[in-house]
Amino acid sequence: MKQSYLTLTLCLILFALLSMAFKNRTAHQTDQSISMQEDSLLRHVVLFKFKPETTKEDIKKVEEAFTALPAKIPQIVGYEWGLNNSPEGLNQGFTHCFFLTFNSEEDRAVYLPHPDHKAFGDILGPHLDDVLVVDYWAK
């Protein structure tokens, strides 16, 4: 009987210690998430679906024009792009992904109406069937 009480007491102590450790860990993770948000980067993801009649040459012009933007707009601090190659077949016709990085929402606000961004839109517009844009703070 004494051994049962001793086992039960040890289990309760162990449970209490694990609970405190978990609370401390969770609080630490929350603090890290908050500081990470403050130090994180703003991502701007753009997906294009081109009209069926768009030629490879026209698509190449769009790719080159988008790729030229980081040299023209200093608020873009990171840039990459690629073609969809997912085997899942869930792209809904979106073939091109462009991934831009900004340090702040203010930098993105400069980029969006920027004359070079607008000029790119003029190149893209006649060939664009659909676009999807997602912005998020990296975590």
Side-chain angles (χ1 to χ4, degrees), residues 6 18 26 36 65 80 86 104 112 115 123 125:
L6 182 59
L18 288 173
T26 303
M36 187 186 324
E80 63 183 74
S86 174
S104 67
L112 291 173
I123 295 168

Side-chain angles (χ1 to χ4, degrees), residues 3-138:
Q3 188 173 8
S4 295
Y5 285 122
L6 182 59
T7 302
L8 180 60
T9 302
L10 289 173
C11 285
L12 289 173
I13 291 170
L14 180 60
F15 178 76
L17 290 171
L18 288 173
S19 293
M20 288 189 312
F22 180 76
K23 283 181 186 176
N24 287 339
R25 181 172 168 235
T26 303
H28 179 68
Q29 285 176 338
T30 302
D31 290 345
Q32 283 182 332
S33 296
I34 291 169
S35 66
M36 187 186 324
Q37 175 103 15
E38 292 170 0
D39 296 339
S40 68
L41 296 169
L42 183 60
R43 307 295 191 185
H44 179 72
V45 182
V46 182
L47 304 173
F48 291 151
K49 179 196 309 188
F50 291 99
K51 292 178 180 176
E53 65 272 13
T54 302
T55 67
K56 289 181 182 182
E57 292 78 21
D58 291 331
I59 291 174
K60 181 82 171 152
K61 288 177 188 174
V62 169
E63 294 167 351
E64 290 171 354
F66 209 147
T67 300
L69 289 179
K72 298 176 179 180
I73 305 173
Q75 287 77 14
I76 300 172
V77 297
Y79 173 81
E80 63 183 74
W81 76 276
L83 298 175
N84 175 57
N85 73 351
S86 174
E88 296 175 289
L90 301 174
N91 63 309
Q92 299 179 24
F94 291 93
T95 57
H96 287 64
C97 179
F98 296 87
F99 187 84
L100 289 78
T101 302
F102 299 96
N103 285 324
S104 67
E105 292 178 5
E106 293 79 14
D107 287 349
R108 179 187 57 196
V110 170
Y111 160 78
L112 291 173
H114 193 282
D116 289 311
H117 183 233
K118 295 294 185 186
F120 164 72
D122 292 340
I123 295 168
L124 170 67
H127 311 293
L128 187 64
D129 183 31
D130 202 0
V131 63
L132 176 66
V133 178
V134 176
D135 291 358
Y136 66 92
W137 283 102

